[in-house]
mmCIF file of all heavy atoms in Angstrom:
data_model
loop_
_atom_site.group_PDB
_atom_site.id
_atom_site.type_symbol
_atom_site.label_atom_id
_atom_site.label_comp_id
_atom_site.label_asym_id
_atom_site.label_seq_id
_atom_site.Cartn_x
_atom_site.Cartn_y
_atom_site.Cartn_z
ATOM 1 N N PRO A 248 -19.024 20.608 -6.796
ATOM 2 C CA PRO A 248 -20.182 21.409 -6.547
ATOM 3 C C PRO A 248 -19.890 22.505 -5.510
ATOM 4 O O PRO A 248 -19.116 22.172 -4.540
ATOM 5 C CB PRO A 248 -21.221 20.442 -6.177
ATOM 6 C CG PRO A 248 -20.867 19.168 -6.841
ATOM 7 C CD PRO A 248 -19.258 19.240 -6.711
ATOM 8 N N ALA A 249 -20.513 23.536 -5.584
ATOM 9 C CA ALA A 249 -20.339 24.769 -4.548
ATOM 10 C C ALA A 249 -20.544 24.378 -3.134
ATOM 11 O O ALA A 249 -19.813 24.836 -2.340
ATOM 12 C CB ALA A 249 -21.340 25.913 -4.977
ATOM 13 N N GLU A 250 -21.412 23.354 -2.907
ATOM 14 C CA GLU A 250 -21.722 23.024 -1.427
ATOM 15 C C GLU A 250 -20.641 22.309 -0.907
ATOM 16 O O GLU A 250 -20.510 22.181 0.285
ATOM 17 C CB GLU A 250 -23.082 22.356 -1.332
ATOM 18 C CG GLU A 250 -23.080 21.014 -2.053
ATOM 19 C CD GLU A 250 -23.789 21.231 -3.518
ATOM 20 O OE1 GLU A 250 -23.624 22.376 -4.083
ATOM 21 O OE2 GLU A 250 -24.378 20.178 -3.914
ATOM 22 N N ILE A 251 -19.819 21.658 -1.759
ATOM 23 C CA ILE A 251 -18.622 20.944 -1.288
ATOM 24 C C ILE A 251 -17.406 21.966 -1.351
ATOM 25 O O ILE A 251 -16.590 21.889 -0.350
ATOM 26 C CB ILE A 251 -18.269 19.638 -2.144
ATOM 27 C CG1 ILE A 251 -19.529 18.774 -2.136
ATOM 28 C CG2 ILE A 251 -16.995 18.994 -1.717
ATOM 29 C CD1 ILE A 251 -19.416 17.566 -3.120
ATOM 30 N N THR A 252 -17.253 22.619 -2.353
ATOM 31 C CA THR A 252 -16.163 23.528 -2.546
ATOM 32 C C THR A 252 -16.033 24.635 -1.460
ATOM 33 O O THR A 252 -15.029 24.914 -0.961
ATOM 34 C CB THR A 252 -16.260 24.308 -3.902
ATOM 35 O OG1 THR A 252 -16.141 23.404 -5.081
ATOM 36 C CG2 THR A 252 -15.138 25.259 -4.057
ATOM 37 N N LYS A 253 -17.177 25.110 -0.891
ATOM 38 C CA LYS A 253 -17.191 26.077 0.083
ATOM 39 C C LYS A 253 -16.389 25.519 1.357
ATOM 40 O O LYS A 253 -15.893 26.399 2.210
ATOM 41 C CB LYS A 253 -18.520 26.614 0.414
ATOM 42 C CG LYS A 253 -19.418 25.548 1.185
ATOM 43 C CD LYS A 253 -20.947 26.227 1.358
ATOM 44 C CE LYS A 253 -21.776 25.279 1.986
ATOM 45 N NZ LYS A 253 -23.088 25.821 2.274
ATOM 46 N N HIS A 254 -16.551 24.177 1.643
ATOM 47 C CA HIS A 254 -15.872 23.602 2.774
ATOM 48 C C HIS A 254 -14.470 23.292 2.420
ATOM 49 O O HIS A 254 -13.572 23.544 3.371
ATOM 50 C CB HIS A 254 -16.532 22.394 3.162
ATOM 51 C CG HIS A 254 -18.020 22.630 3.620
ATOM 52 N ND1 HIS A 254 -18.244 23.379 4.828
ATOM 53 C CD2 HIS A 254 -19.208 22.259 3.053
ATOM 54 C CE1 HIS A 254 -19.638 23.478 4.927
ATOM 55 N NE2 HIS A 254 -20.138 22.711 3.946
ATOM 56 N N MET A 255 -14.203 22.918 1.374
ATOM 57 C CA MET A 255 -12.645 22.622 0.838
ATOM 58 C C MET A 255 -11.898 24.005 1.003
ATOM 59 O O MET A 255 -10.632 24.057 1.301
ATOM 60 C CB MET A 255 -12.614 22.027 -0.436
ATOM 61 C CG MET A 255 -13.044 20.608 -0.489
ATOM 62 S SD MET A 255 -12.467 19.794 -2.047
ATOM 63 C CE MET A 255 -13.399 20.643 -3.345
ATOM 64 N N VAL A 256 -12.508 25.101 0.626
ATOM 65 C CA VAL A 256 -11.922 26.431 0.610
ATOM 66 C C VAL A 256 -11.373 26.714 2.124
ATOM 67 O O VAL A 256 -10.233 27.266 2.333
ATOM 68 C CB VAL A 256 -12.750 27.462 0.259
ATOM 69 C CG1 VAL A 256 -12.094 28.900 0.508
ATOM 70 C CG2 VAL A 256 -12.921 27.393 -1.274
ATOM 71 N N LYS A 257 -12.143 26.260 3.166
ATOM 72 C CA LYS A 257 -11.781 26.534 4.448
ATOM 73 C C LYS A 257 -10.496 25.747 4.907
ATOM 74 O O LYS A 257 -9.488 26.267 5.477
ATOM 75 C CB LYS A 257 -12.751 26.178 5.409
ATOM 76 C CG LYS A 257 -14.123 27.038 5.299
ATOM 77 C CD LYS A 257 -15.242 26.582 6.313
ATOM 78 C CE LYS A 257 -15.887 25.451 5.975
ATOM 79 N NZ LYS A 257 -17.070 25.200 6.877
ATOM 80 N N VAL A 258 -10.496 24.466 4.401
ATOM 81 C CA VAL A 258 -9.141 23.704 4.697
ATOM 82 C C VAL A 258 -8.030 24.330 3.925
ATOM 83 O O VAL A 258 -6.862 24.487 4.427
ATOM 84 C CB VAL A 258 -9.426 22.260 4.307
ATOM 85 C CG1 VAL A 258 -8.249 21.357 4.541
ATOM 86 C CG2 VAL A 258 -10.542 21.671 5.130
ATOM 87 N N HIS A 259 -8.254 24.658 2.742
ATOM 88 C CA HIS A 259 -7.192 25.304 1.753
ATOM 89 C C HIS A 259 -6.714 26.611 2.395
ATOM 90 O O HIS A 259 -5.482 26.831 2.509
ATOM 91 C CB HIS A 259 -7.793 25.483 0.446
ATOM 92 C CG HIS A 259 -6.895 26.269 -0.537
ATOM 93 N ND1 HIS A 259 -5.664 25.760 -1.048
ATOM 94 C CD2 HIS A 259 -7.084 27.608 -0.942
ATOM 95 C CE1 HIS A 259 -5.296 26.646 -1.881
ATOM 96 N NE2 HIS A 259 -5.920 27.729 -1.769
ATOM 97 N N GLN A 260 -7.585 27.405 2.907
ATOM 98 C CA GLN A 260 -7.190 28.654 3.451
ATOM 99 C C GLN A 260 -6.294 28.505 4.732
ATOM 100 O O GLN A 260 -5.147 29.139 4.760
ATOM 101 C CB GLN A 260 -8.483 29.375 3.954
ATOM 102 C CG GLN A 260 -8.180 30.757 4.799
ATOM 103 C CD GLN A 260 -9.502 31.419 5.297
ATOM 104 O OE1 GLN A 260 -10.636 30.917 4.985
ATOM 105 N NE2 GLN A 260 -9.284 32.405 6.111
ATOM 106 N N TYR A 261 -6.547 27.705 5.488
ATOM 107 C CA TYR A 261 -5.776 27.493 6.766
ATOM 108 C C TYR A 261 -4.565 26.576 6.480
ATOM 109 O O TYR A 261 -3.614 26.523 7.383
ATOM 110 C CB TYR A 261 -6.542 26.896 7.997
ATOM 111 C CG TYR A 261 -7.597 27.883 8.444
ATOM 112 C CD1 TYR A 261 -9.024 27.745 8.200
ATOM 113 C CD2 TYR A 261 -7.168 29.161 8.998
ATOM 114 C CE1 TYR A 261 -9.959 28.702 8.542
ATOM 115 C CE2 TYR A 261 -8.093 30.052 9.314
ATOM 116 C CZ TYR A 261 -9.502 29.916 9.138
ATOM 117 O OH TYR A 261 -10.405 30.857 9.457
ATOM 118 N N ASN A 262 -4.484 25.850 5.384
ATOM 119 C CA ASN A 262 -3.478 25.137 5.143
ATOM 120 C C ASN A 262 -2.189 25.846 4.461
ATOM 121 O O ASN A 262 -1.172 25.769 4.726
ATOM 122 C CB ASN A 262 -3.910 23.997 4.131
ATOM 123 C CG ASN A 262 -2.935 22.979 3.669
ATOM 124 O OD1 ASN A 262 -2.915 22.370 2.598
ATOM 125 N ND2 ASN A 262 -1.897 22.673 4.628
ATOM 126 N N VAL A 263 -2.631 26.598 3.378
ATOM 127 C CA VAL A 263 -1.631 27.355 2.541
ATOM 128 C C VAL A 263 -1.926 28.823 2.259
ATOM 129 O O VAL A 263 -1.200 29.430 1.580
ATOM 130 C CB VAL A 263 -1.413 26.618 1.217
ATOM 131 C CG1 VAL A 263 -0.775 25.231 1.404
ATOM 132 C CG2 VAL A 263 -2.665 26.606 0.268
ATOM 133 N N THR A 264 -3.165 29.307 2.661
ATOM 134 C CA THR A 264 -3.617 30.694 2.274
ATOM 135 C C THR A 264 -4.077 30.709 0.833
ATOM 136 O O THR A 264 -5.178 30.927 0.503
ATOM 137 C CB THR A 264 -2.692 31.765 2.654
ATOM 138 O OG1 THR A 264 -2.271 31.732 4.125
ATOM 139 C CG2 THR A 264 -3.205 33.049 2.442
ATOM 140 N N CYS A 265 -3.042 30.516 0.007
ATOM 141 C CA CYS A 265 -3.268 30.566 -1.475
ATOM 142 C C CYS A 265 -2.091 29.996 -2.175
ATOM 143 O O CYS A 265 -0.865 29.918 -1.601
ATOM 144 C CB CYS A 265 -3.523 32.023 -1.941
ATOM 145 S SG CYS A 265 -2.129 33.186 -1.949
ATOM 146 N N ALA A 266 -2.313 29.699 -3.486
ATOM 147 C CA ALA A 266 -1.090 29.193 -4.378
ATOM 148 C C ALA A 266 -0.271 30.552 -4.653
ATOM 149 O O ALA A 266 -0.707 31.598 -4.545
ATOM 150 C CB ALA A 266 -1.671 28.597 -5.589
ATOM 151 N N SER A 267 0.959 30.188 -5.090
ATOM 152 C CA SER A 267 1.856 31.303 -5.513
ATOM 153 C C SER A 267 1.206 32.227 -6.477
ATOM 154 O O SER A 267 0.809 31.749 -7.530
ATOM 155 C CB SER A 267 3.164 30.695 -6.125
ATOM 156 O OG SER A 267 3.853 31.513 -6.875
ATOM 157 N N SER A 268 1.419 33.482 -6.300
ATOM 158 C CA SER A 268 0.739 34.409 -7.103
ATOM 159 C C SER A 268 1.431 34.291 -8.533
ATOM 160 O O SER A 268 0.724 34.470 -9.524
ATOM 161 C CB SER A 268 0.885 35.856 -6.606
ATOM 162 O OG SER A 268 2.192 36.199 -6.344
ATOM 163 N N ILE A 269 2.739 34.230 -8.511
ATOM 164 C CA ILE A 269 3.540 34.315 -9.803
ATOM 165 C C ILE A 269 3.129 32.956 -10.577
ATOM 166 O O ILE A 269 2.893 33.051 -11.833
ATOM 167 C CB ILE A 269 5.051 34.250 -9.537
ATOM 168 C CG1 ILE A 269 5.407 35.515 -8.742
ATOM 169 C CG2 ILE A 269 5.734 34.116 -10.754
ATOM 170 C CD1 ILE A 269 5.038 36.782 -9.381
ATOM 171 N N SER A 270 3.076 31.869 -9.980
ATOM 172 C CA SER A 270 2.639 30.583 -10.631
ATOM 173 C C SER A 270 1.190 30.696 -11.105
ATOM 174 O O SER A 270 0.946 30.117 -12.141
ATOM 175 C CB SER A 270 2.771 29.421 -9.634
ATOM 176 O OG SER A 270 4.117 29.068 -9.408
ATOM 177 N N GLN A 271 0.376 31.427 -10.378
ATOM 178 C CA GLN A 271 -1.048 31.547 -10.920
ATOM 179 C C GLN A 271 -1.049 32.295 -12.205
ATOM 180 O O GLN A 271 -1.890 32.044 -13.096
ATOM 181 C CB GLN A 271 -1.867 32.185 -9.793
ATOM 182 C CG GLN A 271 -2.259 31.313 -8.713
ATOM 183 C CD GLN A 271 -3.228 31.896 -7.784
ATOM 184 O OE1 GLN A 271 -4.381 32.189 -8.262
ATOM 185 N NE2 GLN A 271 -3.063 32.067 -6.485
ATOM 186 N N TYR A 272 -0.299 33.444 -12.230
ATOM 187 C CA TYR A 272 -0.291 34.248 -13.541
ATOM 188 C C TYR A 272 0.266 33.305 -14.664
ATOM 189 O O TYR A 272 -0.115 33.496 -15.814
ATOM 190 C CB TYR A 272 0.478 35.543 -13.352
ATOM 191 C CG TYR A 272 -0.239 36.545 -12.626
ATOM 192 C CD1 TYR A 272 -0.070 36.761 -11.308
ATOM 193 C CD2 TYR A 272 -1.457 37.087 -13.173
ATOM 194 C CE1 TYR A 272 -0.682 37.784 -10.532
ATOM 195 C CE2 TYR A 272 -2.179 38.144 -12.493
ATOM 196 C CZ TYR A 272 -1.783 38.427 -11.210
ATOM 197 O OH TYR A 272 -2.635 39.411 -10.489
ATOM 198 N N ALA A 273 1.284 32.617 -14.372
ATOM 199 C CA ALA A 273 1.896 31.587 -15.440
ATOM 200 C C ALA A 273 0.767 30.605 -15.780
ATOM 201 O O ALA A 273 0.551 30.241 -16.933
ATOM 202 C CB ALA A 273 3.121 30.866 -14.879
ATOM 203 N N ALA A 274 -0.076 30.077 -14.810
ATOM 204 C CA ALA A 274 -1.037 29.176 -15.155
ATOM 205 C C ALA A 274 -2.116 29.717 -16.032
ATOM 206 O O ALA A 274 -2.749 29.016 -16.857
ATOM 207 C CB ALA A 274 -1.701 28.736 -13.790
ATOM 208 N N LEU A 275 -2.546 31.086 -15.829
ATOM 209 C CA LEU A 275 -3.440 31.858 -16.646
ATOM 210 C C LEU A 275 -3.041 31.745 -17.975
ATOM 211 O O LEU A 275 -3.798 31.502 -18.939
ATOM 212 C CB LEU A 275 -3.683 33.159 -16.024
ATOM 213 C CG LEU A 275 -4.654 34.116 -16.842
ATOM 214 C CD1 LEU A 275 -5.961 33.464 -16.860
ATOM 215 C CD2 LEU A 275 -4.667 35.432 -16.275
ATOM 216 N N GLU A 276 -1.855 32.101 -18.211
ATOM 217 C CA GLU A 276 -1.203 31.984 -19.559
ATOM 218 C C GLU A 276 -1.204 30.589 -20.122
ATOM 219 O O GLU A 276 -1.622 30.328 -21.327
ATOM 220 C CB GLU A 276 0.174 32.433 -19.615
ATOM 221 C CG GLU A 276 1.040 32.382 -20.893
ATOM 222 C CD GLU A 276 0.612 33.461 -21.859
ATOM 223 O OE1 GLU A 276 -0.033 34.369 -21.604
ATOM 224 O OE2 GLU A 276 1.079 33.258 -22.985
ATOM 225 N N ALA A 277 -1.072 29.550 -19.374
ATOM 226 C CA ALA A 277 -1.015 28.153 -19.825
ATOM 227 C C ALA A 277 -2.401 27.718 -20.203
ATOM 228 O O ALA A 277 -2.497 27.051 -21.317
ATOM 229 C CB ALA A 277 -0.550 27.304 -18.725
ATOM 230 N N LEU A 278 -3.508 28.123 -19.512
ATOM 231 C CA LEU A 278 -4.830 27.678 -19.772
ATOM 232 C C LEU A 278 -5.479 28.500 -20.945
ATOM 233 O O LEU A 278 -6.437 28.037 -21.469
ATOM 234 C CB LEU A 278 -5.594 27.690 -18.621
ATOM 235 C CG LEU A 278 -5.208 26.738 -17.567
ATOM 236 C CD1 LEU A 278 -5.896 26.923 -16.071
ATOM 237 C CD2 LEU A 278 -5.431 25.389 -17.790
#
Side-chain angles (χ1 to χ4, degrees):
E250 60 269 22
I251 300 171
T252 297
K253 69 180 181 181
H254 296 296
M255 288 197 295
V256 167
K257 292 183 286 187
V258 179
H259 173 71
Q260 174 186 352
Y261 292 114
N262 183 213
V263 299
T264 303
C265 65
S267 157
S268 61
I269 302 305
S270 292
Q271 288 193 57
Y272 284 106
L275 179 61
E276 175 75 10
L278 292 172

